[in-house]
Amino acid sequence: MDTPRAAVKLSDISAKFTEDTLDEIVRNAGGKRCISWKIPETNFTKGDAYLSELYRIQLTGEPNEPDREPMVVNVVVKTIPKNVGRRNTFRSADFFRNEANFYNVVLKELYRFQDSRNPKNPFKDIDRCFVAYTDGVNDFIAMDDLGQYGYKTASRAKGVGLEECQRCMRALGRFHALSLAMKEQEPDRFHEIAHQYVEETYYDARLKSWYNNFLQVQLGIARDAMAREYPGTDLERTMEKFFDCDLYDHMVYLTHARNQNSVINHGDCWMPNFMFHDSTPAMRMIDFQLARYSSPVLDISFFVYSCTSQELREAHYQDLLDAYYGGLAEMLRDLGSNPDVVFPYSELEKELKQYARFGCGMGIESIPFSLLDESDVPDLDKITGDEAIAIETIWILRPIASQAGRLRLTDMFRHATDMGVELDECLRCIRSLARFHALSFAMKRQEPHTFQTLVNQLQETYYSARLVPWYRNFMQRIVTIAKEALAIELAEDPAAYSASFQRQVESFLDGNIYGMMVELTHTRNQYSVITHGDCWLPNFLFHPSDHVRMIDFQMVRCGSPVLDIVLFVYCCTDQALRSQHYDQLLGAYYQSFSELLTDLGTDPHETFPASALSEELQRFGRFGCGIAVESIPLSQLDESDVPDLDSIEGTEAVPLEQIMTVRSIKTRYGRRRLLDIK
């Protein structure tokens, strides 16, 4: 091979980036082999890559056809930093491994699936990867150099206009559609790649010590911006409520919560990772180091809050959602799936309500970063030694100097407040429960005989002494899972839970939980009402007009209203929301209860005073713990683990534990979610 003299050698890029690699790149570009190469002067800046080093290389390749001119392949090579301290500080090996898996396995499988369906307009909006290699030391990823085709990134500081944003949202919708269609049509293979080849590289309980202090710096910058632009306002108080929790833990919750709508996410949807063609509507997505498997709204909200202005959001937020869903629905149909079945627009609205806060969490980092002047970007290669150092000691973020920059950050919360988030849904549910319970109190007071007649027709369907043989072994399996979760968490982080807490949990799990639940569901007093019995989120339907409808009353019973309250609170909220808004939820419950009871002609302070609610919570609150021991392990099941109940053969009942094969909780997030209930 004719190798010219060059200032940079191949080994300077990576010890594993060899002439064989160049041949592989040319072959993957459609040629036969590399016949020469050169490394030109690069114009990359310090802010172009925080987790890697960048090189450009131009290859001349021998074509497969003998009479053709030599081909030119322009490549951008992203490599793991040579500086070991920098590499360890930013955990570069984890990010390179995740991105290499995305290109080598995940994207290839998504494209294979797409090709098998032969769509009219295939998705090809991701930059082509020629080769990706990782070993934790010599990692590199060689990509097609989009600059040669006229692609450029937009300004980080200025953002982009509506047309560019719609192009990005449409591309995200089409990308997510690949996951949804493959999950429907090839579920086993999809779950294999999603769970084995995509890892959470940013928000995970094991990474909290790496990132949390730097996150606190970002929170300080956000508070400073709000205090300077909206001092003493409701917006400032709203932001403080948003931050009045362990934000990192909440981001862990949002990234790890999965359901039938979860997709492969880009993960890092800020403007530098979208490249726009200078003369056509074409665009390309780059940089998948943060790819994750989670709600599609994580990508949507990240993009909306990090890449658009408040003015654009106020005028065109619905246009952006329409562009996203239009691209998704069109792609799904092109792949042979029905969007109205696989992911109807109503599901997108639900996901937005539940997960849009993620965009605010990412925005407090990405917006200050996007406003940095190049002179403020640190030289990461000045890190000395091999040991990792605290991120906040090398990335010195300061309060945002410009009013425009501060408003860009604070207005993000203004829009999120206007849109509503998960708390809003919880408040709507708890108010509906309260009004439902008020009917019982009023009828019991005004038509006691009729009310008692109704109660006598109810039958306990879940917790009853006669059902112990049906449920005993399954409950034992659930308790074992909870004990395993406690043991693992105590071993990994002994300081996280006190000895007193450990004793309380062990005592609870060693007790007769099913017997306790039988006692609590059968105890009646003057405050007993007709309860829903199974009030977790899937049994609440939401309308954009704020109306709520409750469904599925198969477990309706007469019992303390607290049975419904604690079931909802412990099964439908995370620790961050409870620690921040528990009193607000109870206040909303009692206010709605009192309003309807008064409207029905009964005095709430005489019939069920607030002090009685507090006493009932003390007496029956354990019910929530008992429910959570079962419901949280079930909620952690992968879709692939959910049994096909129609596979039961014959007419005889089979033991629950044989068909409901609940496994140990794999993630630290899941284990902590269970232990946080206690």
mmCIF file of all heavy atoms in Angstrom, residues 341-382:
data_model
loop_
_atom_site.group_PDB
_atom_site.id
_atom_site.type_symbol
_atom_site.label_atom_id
_atom_site.label_comp_id
_atom_site.label_asym_id
_atom_site.label_seq_id
_atom_site.Cartn_x
_atom_site.Cartn_y
_atom_site.Cartn_z
ATOM 1 N N VAL A 341 -53.088 0.879 16.656
ATOM 2 C CA VAL A 341 -53.025 -0.270 17.563
ATOM 3 C C VAL A 341 -51.711 -0.275 18.337
ATOM 4 O O VAL A 341 -51.688 -0.447 19.557
ATOM 5 C CB VAL A 341 -53.176 -1.592 16.777
ATOM 6 C CG1 VAL A 341 -52.965 -2.794 17.696
ATOM 7 C CG2 VAL A 341 -54.544 -1.659 16.113
ATOM 8 N N VAL A 342 -50.613 -0.070 17.623
ATOM 9 C CA VAL A 342 -49.285 -0.186 18.234
ATOM 10 C C VAL A 342 -48.970 0.994 19.142
ATOM 11 O O VAL A 342 -48.453 0.823 20.256
ATOM 12 C CB VAL A 342 -48.211 -0.318 17.133
ATOM 13 C CG1 VAL A 342 -46.814 -0.326 17.739
ATOM 14 C CG2 VAL A 342 -48.437 -1.585 16.328
ATOM 15 N N PHE A 343 -49.280 2.206 18.683
ATOM 16 C CA PHE A 343 -48.956 3.403 19.469
ATOM 17 C C PHE A 343 -49.902 4.530 19.069
ATOM 18 O O PHE A 343 -49.524 5.457 18.359
ATOM 19 C CB PHE A 343 -47.503 3.809 19.234
ATOM 20 C CG PHE A 343 -46.990 4.877 20.183
ATOM 21 C CD1 PHE A 343 -47.027 4.694 21.551
ATOM 22 C CD2 PHE A 343 -46.461 6.061 19.696
ATOM 23 C CE1 PHE A 343 -46.553 5.666 22.426
ATOM 24 C CE2 PHE A 343 -45.974 7.046 20.555
ATOM 25 C CZ PHE A 343 -46.024 6.840 21.927
ATOM 26 N N PRO A 344 -51.162 4.467 19.513
ATOM 27 C CA PRO A 344 -52.109 5.531 19.171
ATOM 28 C C PRO A 344 -51.691 6.861 19.782
ATOM 29 O O PRO A 344 -50.921 6.902 20.748
ATOM 30 C CB PRO A 344 -53.429 5.032 19.762
ATOM 31 C CG PRO A 344 -53.040 4.050 20.812
ATOM 32 C CD PRO A 344 -51.759 3.420 20.349
ATOM 33 N N TYR A 345 -52.219 7.930 19.223
ATOM 34 C CA TYR A 345 -51.826 9.265 19.694
ATOM 35 C C TYR A 345 -52.152 9.448 21.173
ATOM 36 O O TYR A 345 -51.429 10.144 21.893
ATOM 37 C CB TYR A 345 -52.526 10.341 18.858
ATOM 38 C CG TYR A 345 -51.959 11.722 19.083
ATOM 39 C CD1 TYR A 345 -50.816 12.135 18.412
ATOM 40 C CD2 TYR A 345 -52.556 12.602 19.981
ATOM 41 C CE1 TYR A 345 -50.278 13.393 18.618
ATOM 42 C CE2 TYR A 345 -52.021 13.862 20.203
ATOM 43 C CZ TYR A 345 -50.884 14.252 19.517
ATOM 44 O OH TYR A 345 -50.342 15.499 19.736
ATOM 45 N N SER A 346 -53.212 8.811 21.637
ATOM 46 C CA SER A 346 -53.565 8.918 23.059
ATOM 47 C C SER A 346 -52.458 8.365 23.946
ATOM 48 O O SER A 346 -52.238 8.860 25.059
ATOM 49 C CB SER A 346 -54.874 8.172 23.335
ATOM 50 O OG SER A 346 -54.762 6.795 22.981
ATOM 51 N N GLU A 347 -51.739 7.349 23.471
ATOM 52 C CA GLU A 347 -50.617 6.810 24.241
ATOM 53 C C GLU A 347 -49.463 7.805 24.286
ATOM 54 O O GLU A 347 -48.780 7.929 25.307
ATOM 55 C CB GLU A 347 -50.145 5.483 23.639
ATOM 56 C CG GLU A 347 -51.071 4.319 23.908
ATOM 57 C CD GLU A 347 -51.181 4.012 25.393
ATOM 58 O OE1 GLU A 347 -50.144 3.791 26.044
ATOM 59 O OE2 GLU A 347 -52.321 4.005 25.906
ATOM 60 N N LEU A 348 -49.238 8.509 23.187
ATOM 61 C CA LEU A 348 -48.208 9.552 23.195
ATOM 62 C C LEU A 348 -48.550 10.612 24.231
ATOM 63 O O LEU A 348 -47.671 11.067 24.986
ATOM 64 C CB LEU A 348 -48.084 10.180 21.809
ATOM 65 C CG LEU A 348 -47.168 11.413 21.701
ATOM 66 C CD1 LEU A 348 -45.738 11.079 22.112
ATOM 67 C CD2 LEU A 348 -47.199 11.987 20.283
ATOM 68 N N GLU A 349 -49.810 11.004 24.302
ATOM 69 C CA GLU A 349 -50.217 12.014 25.283
ATOM 70 C C GLU A 349 -49.990 11.515 26.706
ATOM 71 O O GLU A 349 -49.538 12.269 27.579
ATOM 72 C CB GLU A 349 -51.688 12.368 25.067
ATOM 73 C CG GLU A 349 -51.945 13.105 23.760
ATOM 74 C CD GLU A 349 -53.415 13.389 23.530
ATOM 75 O OE1 GLU A 349 -54.246 12.488 23.802
ATOM 76 O OE2 GLU A 349 -53.738 14.497 23.081
ATOM 77 N N LYS A 350 -50.284 10.248 26.961
ATOM 78 C CA LYS A 350 -50.043 9.686 28.294
ATOM 79 C C LYS A 350 -48.551 9.689 28.625
ATOM 80 O O LYS A 350 -48.144 10.040 29.739
ATOM 81 C CB LYS A 350 -50.584 8.256 28.371
ATOM 82 C CG LYS A 350 -52.094 8.136 28.351
ATOM 83 C CD LYS A 350 -52.499 6.669 28.418
ATOM 84 C CE LYS A 350 -53.996 6.502 28.331
ATOM 85 N NZ LYS A 350 -54.391 5.067 28.361
ATOM 86 N N GLU A 351 -47.747 9.275 27.656
ATOM 87 C CA GLU A 351 -46.302 9.230 27.886
ATOM 88 C C GLU A 351 -45.754 10.633 28.148
ATOM 89 O O GLU A 351 -44.868 10.819 28.984
ATOM 90 C CB GLU A 351 -45.602 8.607 26.677
ATOM 91 C CG GLU A 351 -45.935 7.152 26.433
ATOM 92 C CD GLU A 351 -45.143 6.199 27.306
ATOM 93 O OE1 GLU A 351 -43.906 6.265 27.302
ATOM 94 O OE2 GLU A 351 -45.776 5.383 28.001
ATOM 95 N N LEU A 352 -46.266 11.620 27.437
ATOM 96 C CA LEU A 352 -45.815 12.997 27.647
ATOM 97 C C LEU A 352 -46.125 13.449 29.068
ATOM 98 O O LEU A 352 -45.296 14.099 29.724
ATOM 99 C CB LEU A 352 -46.477 13.931 26.638
ATOM 100 C CG LEU A 352 -45.923 13.873 25.213
ATOM 101 C CD1 LEU A 352 -46.882 14.542 24.239
ATOM 102 C CD2 LEU A 352 -44.552 14.542 25.141
ATOM 103 N N LYS A 353 -47.302 13.125 29.552
ATOM 104 C CA LYS A 353 -47.663 13.507 30.914
ATOM 105 C C LYS A 353 -46.733 12.861 31.933
ATOM 106 O O LYS A 353 -46.347 13.472 32.925
ATOM 107 C CB LYS A 353 -49.110 13.092 31.204
ATOM 108 C CG LYS A 353 -50.153 13.952 30.523
ATOM 109 C CD LYS A 353 -50.229 15.321 31.161
ATOM 110 C CE LYS A 353 -51.376 16.132 30.603
ATOM 111 N NZ LYS A 353 -51.434 17.484 31.198
ATOM 112 N N GLN A 354 -46.367 11.620 31.675
ATOM 113 C CA GLN A 354 -45.609 10.874 32.671
ATOM 114 C C GLN A 354 -44.110 11.136 32.610
ATOM 115 O O GLN A 354 -43.438 11.115 33.643
ATOM 116 C CB GLN A 354 -45.879 9.375 32.498
ATOM 117 C CG GLN A 354 -45.306 8.525 33.622
ATOM 118 C CD GLN A 354 -45.858 7.114 33.621
ATOM 119 O OE1 GLN A 354 -46.688 6.759 32.789
ATOM 120 N NE2 GLN A 354 -45.409 6.299 34.548
ATOM 121 N N TYR A 355 -43.570 11.395 31.421
ATOM 122 C CA TYR A 355 -42.114 11.413 31.271
ATOM 123 C C TYR A 355 -41.529 12.742 30.798
ATOM 124 O O TYR A 355 -40.306 12.857 30.673
ATOM 125 C CB TYR A 355 -41.676 10.315 30.294
ATOM 126 C CG TYR A 355 -42.002 8.925 30.764
ATOM 127 C CD1 TYR A 355 -43.059 8.208 30.214
ATOM 128 C CD2 TYR A 355 -41.264 8.327 31.787
ATOM 129 C CE1 TYR A 355 -43.371 6.933 30.649
ATOM 130 C CE2 TYR A 355 -41.566 7.053 32.231
ATOM 131 C CZ TYR A 355 -42.621 6.363 31.661
ATOM 132 O OH TYR A 355 -42.926 5.102 32.105
ATOM 133 N N ALA A 356 -42.365 13.759 30.531
ATOM 134 C CA ALA A 356 -41.832 15.001 29.968
ATOM 135 C C ALA A 356 -40.878 15.717 30.915
ATOM 136 O O ALA A 356 -40.046 16.519 30.477
ATOM 137 C CB ALA A 356 -42.974 15.934 29.569
ATOM 138 N N ARG A 357 -40.964 15.438 32.216
ATOM 139 C CA ARG A 357 -40.036 16.069 33.156
ATOM 140 C C ARG A 357 -38.581 15.745 32.848
ATOM 141 O O ARG A 357 -37.677 16.476 33.242
ATOM 142 C CB ARG A 357 -40.363 15.621 34.587
ATOM 143 C CG ARG A 357 -41.586 16.290 35.160
ATOM 144 C CD ARG A 357 -41.791 15.903 36.601
ATOM 145 N NE ARG A 357 -42.188 14.514 36.743
ATOM 146 C CZ ARG A 357 -42.354 13.910 37.918
ATOM 147 N NH1 ARG A 357 -42.128 14.566 39.033
ATOM 148 N NH2 ARG A 357 -42.742 12.656 37.983
ATOM 149 N N PHE A 358 -38.363 14.623 32.154
ATOM 150 C CA PHE A 358 -36.992 14.260 31.800
ATOM 151 C C PHE A 358 -36.327 15.377 31.007
ATOM 152 O O PHE A 358 -35.135 15.653 31.185
ATOM 153 C CB PHE A 358 -37.000 12.966 30.978
ATOM 154 C CG PHE A 358 -35.627 12.503 30.565
ATOM 155 C CD1 PHE A 358 -34.825 11.801 31.443
ATOM 156 C CD2 PHE A 358 -35.142 12.775 29.295
ATOM 157 C CE1 PHE A 358 -33.556 11.369 31.064
ATOM 158 C CE2 PHE A 358 -33.883 12.353 28.901
ATOM 159 C CZ PHE A 358 -33.088 11.647 29.794
ATOM 160 N N GLY A 359 -37.078 16.021 30.122
ATOM 161 C CA GLY A 359 -36.511 17.099 29.323
ATOM 162 C C GLY A 359 -36.016 18.254 30.165
ATOM 163 O O GLY A 359 -34.991 18.875 29.854
ATOM 164 N N CYS A 360 -36.733 18.548 31.259
ATOM 165 C CA CYS A 360 -36.268 19.605 32.166
ATOM 166 C C CYS A 360 -34.979 19.182 32.857
ATOM 167 O O CYS A 360 -34.054 19.985 33.018
ATOM 168 C CB CYS A 360 -37.343 19.917 33.208
ATOM 169 S SG CYS A 360 -38.834 20.659 32.537
ATOM 170 N N GLY A 361 -34.926 17.925 33.281
ATOM 171 C CA GLY A 361 -33.714 17.438 33.932
ATOM 172 C C GLY A 361 -32.502 17.511 33.027
ATOM 173 O O GLY A 361 -31.398 17.872 33.458
ATOM 174 N N MET A 362 -32.682 17.183 31.741
ATOM 175 C CA MET A 362 -31.567 17.271 30.796
ATOM 176 C C MET A 362 -31.280 18.712 30.406
ATOM 177 O O MET A 362 -30.134 19.088 30.149
ATOM 178 C CB MET A 362 -31.876 16.452 29.543
ATOM 179 C CG MET A 362 -31.906 14.954 29.766
ATOM 180 S SD MET A 362 -30.386 14.267 30.481
ATOM 181 C CE MET A 362 -29.176 14.660 29.228
ATOM 182 N N GLY A 363 -32.324 19.535 30.362
ATOM 183 C CA GLY A 363 -32.142 20.920 29.945
ATOM 184 C C GLY A 363 -31.274 21.727 30.883
ATOM 185 O O GLY A 363 -30.550 22.629 30.446
ATOM 186 N N ILE A 364 -31.313 21.414 32.180
ATOM 187 C CA ILE A 364 -30.479 22.185 33.102
ATOM 188 C C ILE A 364 -29.000 21.907 32.883
ATOM 189 O O ILE A 364 -28.148 22.675 33.334
ATOM 190 C CB ILE A 364 -30.856 21.925 34.576
ATOM 191 C CG1 ILE A 364 -30.557 20.489 34.979
ATOM 192 C CG2 ILE A 364 -32.292 22.291 34.846
ATOM 193 C CD1 ILE A 364 -30.646 20.264 36.469
ATOM 194 N N GLU A 365 -28.677 20.805 32.183
ATOM 195 C CA GLU A 365 -27.287 20.565 31.789
ATOM 196 C C GLU A 365 -27.009 21.093 30.392
ATOM 197 O O GLU A 365 -26.057 21.842 30.169
ATOM 198 C CB GLU A 365 -26.954 19.071 31.820
ATOM 199 C CG GLU A 365 -25.576 18.766 31.237
ATOM 200 C CD GLU A 365 -25.269 17.286 31.124
ATOM 201 O OE1 GLU A 365 -25.734 16.520 31.982
ATOM 202 O OE2 GLU A 365 -24.560 16.901 30.181
ATOM 203 N N SER A 366 -27.847 20.717 29.436
ATOM 204 C CA SER A 366 -27.525 20.994 28.036
ATOM 205 C C SER A 366 -27.581 22.482 27.707
ATOM 206 O O SER A 366 -26.783 22.969 26.894
ATOM 207 C CB SER A 366 -28.472 20.219 27.113
ATOM 208 O OG SER A 366 -29.812 20.629 27.298
ATOM 209 N N ILE A 367 -28.500 23.230 28.324
ATOM 210 C CA ILE A 367 -28.605 24.652 27.987
ATOM 211 C C ILE A 367 -27.374 25.429 28.460
ATOM 212 O O ILE A 367 -26.783 26.183 27.676
ATOM 213 C CB ILE A 367 -29.922 25.240 28.527
ATOM 214 C CG1 ILE A 367 -31.099 24.648 27.737
ATOM 215 C CG2 ILE A 367 -29.926 26.761 28.430
ATOM 216 C CD1 ILE A 367 -32.459 25.060 28.242
ATOM 217 N N PRO A 368 -26.926 25.292 29.718
ATOM 218 C CA PRO A 368 -25.675 25.971 30.086
ATOM 219 C C PRO A 368 -24.490 25.545 29.221
ATOM 220 O O PRO A 368 -23.647 26.370 28.864
ATOM 221 C CB PRO A 368 -25.476 25.569 31.552
ATOM 222 C CG PRO A 368 -26.850 25.312 32.058
ATOM 223 C CD PRO A 368 -27.569 24.681 30.899
ATOM 224 N N PHE A 369 -24.423 24.267 28.845
ATOM 225 C CA PHE A 369 -23.338 23.812 27.982
ATOM 226 C C PHE A 369 -23.415 24.480 26.614
ATOM 227 O O PHE A 369 -22.397 24.866 26.037
ATOM 228 C CB PHE A 369 -23.394 22.289 27.818
ATOM 229 C CG PHE A 369 -22.564 21.538 28.817
ATOM 230 C CD1 PHE A 369 -22.903 21.540 30.155
ATOM 231 C CD2 PHE A 369 -21.445 20.837 28.436
ATOM 232 C CE1 PHE A 369 -22.151 20.857 31.088
ATOM 233 C CE2 PHE A 369 -20.676 20.147 29.358
ATOM 234 C CZ PHE A 369 -21.030 20.159 30.692
ATOM 235 N N SER A 370 -24.623 24.604 26.084
ATOM 236 C CA SER A 370 -24.769 25.178 24.748
ATOM 237 C C SER A 370 -24.416 26.656 24.721
ATOM 238 O O SER A 370 -24.118 27.205 23.659
ATOM 239 C CB SER A 370 -26.206 24.981 24.253
ATOM 240 O OG SER A 370 -27.119 25.780 24.985
ATOM 241 N N LEU A 371 -24.434 27.301 25.886
ATOM 242 C CA LEU A 371 -24.137 28.729 25.956
ATOM 243 C C LEU A 371 -22.666 29.018 26.239
ATOM 244 O O LEU A 371 -22.253 30.175 26.272
ATOM 245 C CB LEU A 371 -25.000 29.381 27.044
ATOM 246 C CG LEU A 371 -26.518 29.327 26.800
ATOM 247 C CD1 LEU A 371 -27.270 29.798 28.029
ATOM 248 C CD2 LEU A 371 -26.898 30.156 25.581
ATOM 249 N N LEU A 372 -21.871 27.968 26.438
ATOM 250 C CA LEU A 372 -20.451 28.170 26.724
ATOM 251 C C LEU A 372 -19.729 28.768 25.525
ATOM 252 O O LEU A 372 -19.911 28.336 24.385
ATOM 253 C CB LEU A 372 -19.787 26.842 27.086
ATOM 254 C CG LEU A 372 -20.040 26.257 28.478
ATOM 255 C CD1 LEU A 372 -19.364 24.902 28.592
ATOM 256 C CD2 LEU A 372 -19.535 27.192 29.562
ATOM 257 N N ASP A 373 -18.907 29.754 25.787
ATOM 258 C CA ASP A 373 -17.978 30.236 24.774
ATOM 259 C C ASP A 373 -16.836 29.229 24.671
ATOM 260 O O ASP A 373 -16.497 28.554 25.647
ATOM 261 C CB ASP A 373 -17.439 31.612 25.172
ATOM 262 C CG ASP A 373 -16.621 32.238 24.066
ATOM 263 O OD1 ASP A 373 -17.199 32.894 23.188
ATOM 264 O OD2 ASP A 373 -15.385 32.050 24.094
ATOM 265 N N GLU A 374 -16.244 29.128 23.486
ATOM 266 C CA GLU A 374 -15.171 28.143 23.320
ATOM 267 C C GLU A 374 -14.033 28.376 24.303
ATOM 268 O O GLU A 374 -13.378 27.432 24.755
ATOM 269 C CB GLU A 374 -14.635 28.170 21.889
ATOM 270 C CG GLU A 374 -13.668 27.024 21.616
ATOM 271 C CD GLU A 374 -13.156 27.012 20.186
ATOM 272 O OE1 GLU A 374 -13.738 27.705 19.337
ATOM 273 O OE2 GLU A 374 -12.163 26.306 19.940
ATOM 274 N N SER A 375 -13.825 29.630 24.685
ATOM 275 C CA SER A 375 -12.747 29.925 25.634
ATOM 276 C C SER A 375 -13.050 29.370 27.027
ATOM 277 O O SER A 375 -12.147 29.227 27.856
ATOM 278 C CB SER A 375 -12.527 31.438 25.721
ATOM 279 O OG SER A 375 -13.715 32.092 26.165
ATOM 280 N N ASP A 376 -14.335 29.058 27.293
ATOM 281 C CA ASP A 376 -14.714 28.508 28.595
ATOM 282 C C ASP A 376 -14.655 26.985 28.634
ATOM 283 O O ASP A 376 -14.818 26.384 29.696
ATOM 284 C CB ASP A 376 -16.141 28.949 28.958
ATOM 285 C CG ASP A 376 -16.238 30.451 29.191
ATOM 286 O OD1 ASP A 376 -15.257 31.022 29.695
ATOM 287 O OD2 ASP A 376 -17.288 31.030 28.850
ATOM 288 N N VAL A 377 -14.451 26.368 27.468
ATOM 289 C CA VAL A 377 -14.389 24.906 27.425
ATOM 290 C C VAL A 377 -13.021 24.462 27.936
ATOM 291 O O VAL A 377 -11.994 24.882 27.404
ATOM 292 C CB VAL A 377 -14.619 24.389 25.990
ATOM 293 C CG1 VAL A 377 -14.486 22.870 25.950
ATOM 294 C CG2 VAL A 377 -15.996 24.819 25.490
ATOM 295 N N PRO A 378 -12.969 23.626 28.954
ATOM 296 C CA PRO A 378 -11.670 23.251 29.526
ATOM 297 C C PRO A 378 -10.885 22.322 28.600
ATOM 298 O O PRO A 378 -11.459 21.605 27.774
ATOM 299 C CB PRO A 378 -12.057 22.528 30.816
ATOM 300 C CG PRO A 378 -13.411 21.962 30.534
ATOM 301 C CD PRO A 378 -14.098 22.974 29.657
ATOM 302 N N ASP A 379 -9.580 22.352 28.745
ATOM 303 C CA ASP A 379 -8.717 21.415 28.040
ATOM 304 C C ASP A 379 -8.671 20.139 28.877
ATOM 305 O O ASP A 379 -7.949 20.055 29.873
ATOM 306 C CB ASP A 379 -7.319 22.005 27.862
ATOM 307 C CG ASP A 379 -6.401 21.079 27.071
ATOM 308 O OD1 ASP A 379 -6.824 19.945 26.766
ATOM 309 O OD2 ASP A 379 -5.262 21.483 26.782
ATOM 310 N N LEU A 380 -9.455 19.156 28.475
ATOM 311 C CA LEU A 380 -9.599 17.946 29.285
ATOM 312 C C LEU A 380 -8.318 17.128 29.337
ATOM 313 O O LEU A 380 -8.147 16.302 30.236
ATOM 314 C CB LEU A 380 -10.753 17.099 28.744
ATOM 315 C CG LEU A 380 -12.119 17.811 28.692
ATOM 316 C CD1 LEU A 380 -13.188 16.865 28.174
ATOM 317 C CD2 LEU A 380 -12.509 18.351 30.059
ATOM 318 N N ASP A 381 -7.419 17.350 28.392
ATOM 319 C CA ASP A 381 -6.164 16.604 28.407
ATOM 320 C C ASP A 381 -5.181 17.142 29.446
ATOM 321 O O ASP A 381 -4.080 16.597 29.604
ATOM 322 C CB ASP A 381 -5.522 16.618 27.018
ATOM 323 C CG ASP A 381 -6.202 15.635 26.076
ATOM 324 O OD1 ASP A 381 -6.656 14.586 26.564
ATOM 325 O OD2 ASP A 381 -6.304 15.920 24.872
ATOM 326 N N LYS A 382 -5.572 18.193 30.158
ATOM 327 C CA LYS A 382 -4.734 18.679 31.252
ATOM 328 C C LYS A 382 -4.909 17.856 32.524
ATOM 329 O O LYS A 382 -4.213 18.080 33.513
ATOM 330 C CB LYS A 382 -5.047 20.151 31.532
ATOM 331 C CG LYS A 382 -4.523 21.093 30.451
ATOM 332 C CD LYS A 382 -4.716 22.542 30.846
ATOM 333 C CE LYS A 382 -4.101 23.478 29.797
ATOM 334 N NZ LYS A 382 -4.282 24.907 30.158
#
